[in-house]
């Protein structure tokens, strides 16, 4: 079998089960692909080739000892890449920040523990915006990742490395994290599929915290079927994360029936129009119409507080970040900048080792939480957050899911928005809302505008990933946008 | 709203960030522009609306209070830039009151 690096997880799994390939051969093919394209893409911050080959050999040995490959589970022997904000025991975890440049976690995040137990092979840690703060991966302390469809453009962010690694066929699947759109927007800009699960569905233990009421880890891959396989492994309650819910985890793959007749899909009018590239709007509307052709019922709905989501998010997330990032003081981990006293050293370390966007968000969060401003900013934002949640609740009284654009533009040129924070923040305007309400969001590629990928976002009810996965999978059964790959 | 330079310096101190002098004016301009944008929220009627701090609806999640394995002292110290006698080591805390 040739071109192993082009296999989806589902196809690789079938080939492994049939004995046509080995995990070692698959891993070697991907490492060769990485060596060939990584200089142009820069999706990875750390490669773990040796450990990956060792894990692949162990997976192959286990497979040869088992009676039936099926019993090994769907991602056994499958190579994955992990965003570098997720702790991996013994493997450097930097959050793309100089302040954690030397940090080697002594433990695995729960999502890693689960994937490891399921037999996954870890190829390396992927680039991202520093501490997951950004929409382009340009805020990485170690240089930007490039979009495989056009290397002069950004891959989106913050999980830009995880998205670009898949789009460049360096790995068939990856984990990202999403606080305000950080899985969904890069998936859209890189022409792949990505899922932000419901807040509370996947453990945050070992995810380096950014916005604790918003952060979720989730998968990126070519197909919705592949996302379902990864979600199945990482979803579920965790005694190490008190915000994981005790709900049973359904069989996500079984939910992919291909039949979406009678499913009611809401189209929120506020997500179209002003500020949106015409090609993106056109492509998105065509995709939504295709869902109608598959038998879904399309219903206009209104989410009246949508325009307030961006200012609300940029109060709440930086406020939470300013508290979470207080721990980086050069005392317990990371490098320390020399100074005259303990406080002087802490202030120098934080001032010089955090990058500009992280400093900006810490300042913003500290300001809105400070005495005299708390009620005007933070408390008011929390109240508007309630109104945004209520909008969704009302919409979901009449529809099963919502279909929207993912980002107002296609991938933009590197450097274009880097000096204008507000313009950059607008890139997440359609993904922030679901984050504020904790809802699951799925992105599937739905076509091209100006030869660059466009993604359709499907927003589900809380803990109803199964429905959005079913609709996304049905769409992929009738289209082939998700299988188009860039020439690098 | 336009932030003053003094306000930016005050917030930087609260956040324990020593900003390069060259960045203070830029930070002042950017934060002012972002805060300006946020005044949009003042037009929303929030009277009587309860704040959302979390979305799961879970409360007081407990586990049995039982001994569990934890990191060893060596593991906890392994990433520290400076440690001694099983503890994190820092410069004197109280000697330089002007920055404390």
């Amino acid at each position: 079998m040739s071109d192993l690096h082009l296999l989806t997880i589902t196809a690789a799994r079938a080939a492994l089960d049939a004995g046509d390939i080995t995990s070692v051969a698959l891993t070697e093919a991907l490492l060769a692909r990485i060596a060939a394209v990584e200089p142009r893409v820069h999706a990875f911050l750390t490669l773990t080739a040796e450990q990956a080959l060792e894990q692949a050999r162990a997976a192959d040995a286990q497979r040869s000892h088992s009676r039936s490959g099926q019993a090994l589970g769907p991602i056994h022997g499958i190579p994955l890449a992990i965003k570098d904000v997720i702790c991996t025991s013994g493997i450097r975890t930097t959050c793309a920040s100089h302040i954690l440049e030397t940090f080697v976690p002594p433990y695995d995040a729960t999502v890693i523990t689960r994937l490891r137990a399921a037999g996954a092979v870890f190829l390396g840690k992927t680039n991202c915006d520093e501490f997951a703060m950004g929409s382009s991966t340009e805020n990485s302390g170690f240089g930007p990742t490039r979009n495989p469809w056009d290397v002069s453009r950004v891959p989106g962010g913050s999980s830009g490395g995880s998205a670009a690694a898949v789009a460049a066929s360096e790995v068939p699947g990856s984990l990202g994290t999403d606080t305000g759109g950080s899985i969904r927007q890069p998936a859209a800009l890189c022409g792949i599929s990505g899922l932000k699960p419901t807040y509370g569905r996947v453990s945050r233990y070992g995810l380096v915290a950014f916005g604790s009421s918003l952060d979720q880890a989730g998968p990126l891959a070519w197909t919705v079927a592949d996302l379902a396989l990864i979600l199945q492994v990482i979803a579920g309650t965790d005694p190490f994360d008190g915000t994981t819910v005790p709900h049973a985890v359904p069989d996500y793959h079984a939910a992919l029936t291909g039949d979406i007749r009678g499913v009611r899909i809401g189209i929120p009018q506020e997500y179209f129009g002003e500020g949106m590239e015409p090609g993106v709007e056109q492509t998105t509307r065509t995709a939504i119409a295709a869902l109608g052709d598959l038998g879904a019922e399309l219903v206009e709905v209104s989410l009246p507080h949508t325009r307030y989501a961006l200012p609300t998010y940029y109060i709440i997330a930086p406020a939470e970040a300013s508290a979470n990032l207080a721990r980086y003081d050069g005392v317990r981990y990371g490098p320390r900048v020399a100074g005259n006293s303990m406080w002087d050293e802490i202030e120098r370390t934080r001032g010089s080792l955090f990058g500009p966007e992280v400093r900006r968000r810490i300042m913003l969060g500290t300001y809105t939480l400070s005495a005299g401003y708390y009620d005007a900013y933070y408390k008011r934002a929390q109240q508007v957050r309630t109104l945004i949640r209520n909008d969704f609740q009302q919409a979901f009284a009449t529809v099963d899911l919502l279909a929207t654009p993912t980002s107002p533009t296609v991938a933009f040129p590197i450097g274009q928005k880097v000096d204008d924070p507000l313009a950059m923040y607008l890139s997440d305007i359609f993904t922030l809302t679901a984050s504020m309400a904790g809802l699951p969001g799925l992105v599937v590629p739905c076509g091209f505008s100006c030869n660059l990928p466009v993604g359709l976002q499907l927003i589900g009810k809380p803990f109803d990933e199964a429905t959005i996965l079913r609709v996304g999978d049905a769409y992929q059964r009738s289209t082939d946008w998700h299988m188009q790959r860039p020439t690098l | 709203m336009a932030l003053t330079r003094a306000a930016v310096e005050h917030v930087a101190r609260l956040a324990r960030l020593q900003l390069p002098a060259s960045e203070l004016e830029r930070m002042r301009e950017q934060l002012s522009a972002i805060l300006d944008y946020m005044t949009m929220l003042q037009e929303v009627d929030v009277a009587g609306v309860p704040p959302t701090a979390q979305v799961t609806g879970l409360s007081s999640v407990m586990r049995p209070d039982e001994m569990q394995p934890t990191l060893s002292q060596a593991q906890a110290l392994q990433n520290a830039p400076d440690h001694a006698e099983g503890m994190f080591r820092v410069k004197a805390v109280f000697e330089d009151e002007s920055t404390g």
Side-chain angles (χ1 to χ4, degrees):
Chain A
M1 196 175 274
S2 64
D3 290 344
L4 295 189
H5 64 281
L6 297 178
L7 294 177
T8 63
I9 294 173
T10 301
R13 176 200 181 189
L16 285 167
D17 285 350
D20 294 340
I21 64 169
T22 62
S23 179
V24 168
L26 181 59
T27 304
E28 283 172 344
L30 291 164
L31 289 171
R33 172 71 178 173
I34 288 169
V37 302
E38 188 60 8
R40 277 167 286 161
V41 178
H42 190 229
F44 286 87
L45 292 178
T46 303
L47 279 171
T48 51
E50 284 310 308
Q51 294 99 319
L53 286 167
E54 207 171 291
Q55 290 156 358
R57 279 191 289 271
D60 286 336
Q62 218 180 336
R63 185 173 292 276
S64 70
H65 289 128
S66 79
R67 274 175 187 279
S68 147
Q70 297 296 336
L72 290 172
I75 60 152
H76 190 271
I78 302 290
L80 299 173
I82 306 296
K83 185 178 182 181
D84 209 21
V85 299
I86 299 174
C87 284
T88 43
S89 184
I91 307 292
R92 190 176 78 128
T93 300
T94 67
C95 298
S97 179
H98 290 292
I99 212 162
L100 282 178
E101 198 167 346
T102 56
F103 179 61
V104 178
Y107 68 101
D108 276 332
T110 295
V111 288
I112 299 299
T113 305
R114 285 170 176 250
L115 289 169
R116 215 185 273 287
V121 171
F122 299 107
L123 282 186
K125 306 297 293 287
T126 53
N127 199 10
C128 54
D129 288 295
E130 184 178 5
F131 284 100
M133 296 179 192
S135 310
S136 69
T137 316
E138 291 166 289
N139 295 335
S140 167
F142 306 112
T145 295
R146 293 168 179 276
N147 192 312
W149 292 92
D150 176 349
V151 292
S152 73
R153 290 172 187 266
V154 303
S158 67
S159 308
S162 291
V166 173
S169 303
E170 294 177 295
V171 68
S174 60
L175 281 192
T177 62
D178 189 315
T179 304
S182 281
I183 289 172
R184 292 163 286 161
Q185 184 257 17
L189 269 47
C190 286
I192 62 166
S193 305
L195 175 74
K196 180 195 92 75
T198 312
Y199 182 86
R201 178 76 293 180
V202 174
S203 171
R204 293 181 296 112
Y205 178 74
L207 259 63
V208 176
F210 159 17
S212 299
S213 77
L214 301 156
D215 299 340
Q216 265 297 280
L220 299 100
W222 289 105
T223 70
V224 171
D226 286 358
L227 298 180
L229 296 178
I230 298 176
L231 179 64
Q232 198 73 49
V233 175
I234 62 174
T237 186
D238 176 13
F240 291 140
D241 177 3
T243 61
T244 49
V245 298
H247 308 337
V249 178
D251 184 336
Y252 294 113
H253 210 259
L256 310 181
T257 60
D259 183 3
I260 61 166
R261 285 172 297 176
V263 172
R264 291 173 62 86
I265 302 179
I267 321 299
Q269 58 192 39
E270 291 84 0
Y271 284 60
F272 295 88
E274 205 188 335
M276 209 173 161
E277 285 178 3
V280 173
E281 172 161 4
Q282 184 57 43
T283 307
T284 308
R285 286 195 184 277
T286 303
I288 292 172
L291 295 175
D293 294 339
L294 292 172
E297 193 181 333
L298 306 179
V299 185
E300 286 270 335
V301 296
S302 175
L303 301 168
H305 293 91
T306 297
R307 64 186 297 254
Y308 302 113
L310 187 71
T312 301
Y313 176 86
Y314 278 99
I315 291 171
I316 289 175
E320 293 183 5
S322 71
N324 276 325
L325 272 59
R327 72 192 63 173
Y328 304 105
D329 50 15
V331 173
R332 288 156 296 171
Y333 23 65
R336 183 187 298 176
V337 177
N340 302 321
S341 68
M342 183 193 76
W343 286 116
D344 188 43
E345 291 196 334
I346 289 175
E347 292 181 4
R348 284 173 190 264
T349 298
R350 290 167 59 78
S352 61
L353 298 182
F354 283 135
E357 179 63 19
V358 172
R359 291 201 292 261
R360 200 150 45 225
R361 296 209 196 180
I362 291 173
M363 290 287 289
L364 192 56
T366 304
Y367 179 80
T368 59
L369 289 176
S370 63
Y373 299 101
Y374 178 90
D375 280 356
Y377 289 103
Y378 188 67
K379 187 176 171 212
R380 179 168 281 266
Q382 286 191 310
Q383 289 174 304
V384 178
R385 186 175 184 183
T386 302
L387 297 172
I388 292 167
R389 291 177 70 199
N390 291 348
D391 281 356
F392 280 108
Q393 224 159 29
Q394 274 161 28
F396 284 132
T398 56
V399 299
D400 301 308
L401 72 155
L402 301 166
T404 78
T406 306
S407 190
T409 71
V410 292
F412 44 90
I414 288 175
Q416 189 189 69
K417 300 183 182 182
V418 83
D419 288 323
D420 186 351
L422 265 177
M424 186 73 88
Y425 296 171
L426 284 164
S427 193
D428 291 329
I429 195 159
F430 301 136
T431 49
L432 295 169
T433 46
S435 298
M436 301 302 308
L439 302 170
L442 170 69
V443 166
V444 291
C446 67
F448 293 82
S449 172
C450 308
N451 297 316
L452 291 162
V454 176
L456 173 71
Q457 178 179 228
L458 304 173
I459 301 171
K461 294 178 181 177
F463 303 103
D464 190 17
E465 285 81 4
T467 297
I468 53 175
L469 291 169
R470 173 155 63 104
V471 172
D473 172 67
Y475 179 74
Q476 294 190 336
R477 290 182 195 216
S478 66
T479 58
D480 73 345
W481 301 118
H482 60 291
M483 293 314 292
Q484 302 206 16
R485 306 211 178 192
T487 44
L488 253 172
Chain B
M1 58 176 286
L3 283 178
T4 63
R5 176 89 167 227
V8 174
E9 286 172 353
H10 173 65
V11 174
R13 170 56 53 85
L14 291 177
R16 297 287 181 194
L17 284 174
Q18 191 175 102
L19 295 179
S22 60
E23 191 173 312
L24 280 173
E25 180 54 25
R26 221 168 91 99
M27 183 70 87
R28 194 190 68 73
E29 285 169 12
Q30 289 177 332
L31 290 182
S32 297
I34 294 167
L35 290 169
D36 254 346
Y37 183 77
M38 286 167 176
T39 56
M40 188 203 290
L41 292 186
Q42 302 303 323
E43 71 193 50
V44 185
D45 181 6
V46 295
V49 177
T52 291
Q54 56 109 330
V55 296
T56 60
L58 299 171
S59 67
S60 299
V61 176
M62 305 286 204
R63 60 166 174 76
D65 185 15
E66 288 161 0
M67 293 261 285
Q68 289 181 7
T70 184
L71 296 182
S72 67
Q73 193 177 46
Q75 285 175 314
L77 290 169
Q78 78 184 22
N79 282 290
D82 193 9
H83 62 91
E85 297 169 43
M87 290 177 273
F88 299 110
R89 181 157 64 185
V90 295
K91 285 207 164 151
V93 180
F94 297 111
E95 280 176 10
D96 185 357
E97 292 291 342
S98 64
T99 57

